[in-house]
Amino acid sequence: MPNQNFIIAGVVFLILLIFYIIAKVKSNRGDLVLTANGWDMTLLLACPIAIFIAWCCGFDHPLNTAQTICLVIAGLCFVGTAIMSIVHNKGEFMYILISILAKLFIIWLTLIIILLLIAVFVISVIISFINDHDDDDEYILLKYDRALHAYVGYKIQP
């Protein structure tokens, strides 16, 4: 059976996707405000960036100071964008809920996009190093080195 956390994450992602689609449709009709202004969009994009920076330090140990600061910044950004959803959706509870859940989807999607961009960058750097080799380059033959073999623990049989 697949990992239950992966299944739960997939189901939550699909539910948030549905709320995002509903929010986009209602936003295009003018019923709902998804992102109110430039500050709202900035806060919405700063949140996953701060989460990503905290994630780069690793979560397999207790949080260090840098992670704590990044996660607090991410939380404050999300609270700010949620407050803008509350204010600009004129107190209509369902629209506020849809807007906030759609923003959660945007945050999750932005994290995935950041990870994919970094993976593509790393793969492109690796490919560029592989393709950088020219057939006309000279080959250097390494001579036998007893010190290197002693260093790596390679035992030579007489």
Side-chain angles (χ1 to χ4, degrees), residues 1-134:
M1 184 170 155
N3 189 356
Q4 288 181 340
N5 291 337
F6 185 72
I7 293 171
I8 292 171
V11 169
V12 169
F13 187 78
L14 287 175
I15 291 170
L16 291 177
L17 174 63
I18 291 168
F19 279 108
Y20 175 73
I21 292 169
I22 292 170
K24 285 300 283 183
V25 169
K26 293 210 176 269
S27 177
N28 288 340
R29 289 184 193 163
D31 298 336
L32 175 132
V33 176
L34 184 57
T35 52
N37 51 29
W39 285 107
D40 194 11
M41 286 186 250
T42 303
L43 291 173
L44 190 57
L45 293 177
C47 182
I49 292 170
I51 292 171
F52 176 76
I53 292 170
W55 175 78
C56 285
C57 298
F59 281 108
D60 57 343
H61 52 77
L63 295 178
N64 59 26
T65 305
Q67 286 176 308
T68 305
I69 290 171
C70 286
L71 292 176
V72 166
I73 289 171
L76 290 174
C77 288
F78 184 72
V79 167
T81 193
I83 289 172
M84 288 193 187
S85 288
I86 293 169
V87 169
H88 290 284
N89 282 309
K90 301 173 185 101
E92 180 125 8
F93 178 74
M94 197 55 147
Y95 288 162
I96 293 169
L97 182 67
I98 291 170
S99 176
I100 290 174
L101 291 175
K103 288 179 179 187
L104 281 174
F105 174 77
I106 293 170
I107 290 170
W108 198 335
L109 185 66
T110 306
L111 278 171
I112 292 170
I113 290 171
I114 290 171
L115 290 173
L116 288 175
L117 286 175
I118 289 177
V120 166
F121 175 74
V122 169
I123 290 170
S124 67
V125 166
I126 291 171
I127 289 173
S128 71
F129 281 128
I130 291 172
N131 291 336
D132 198 25
H133 173 71
D134 190 15

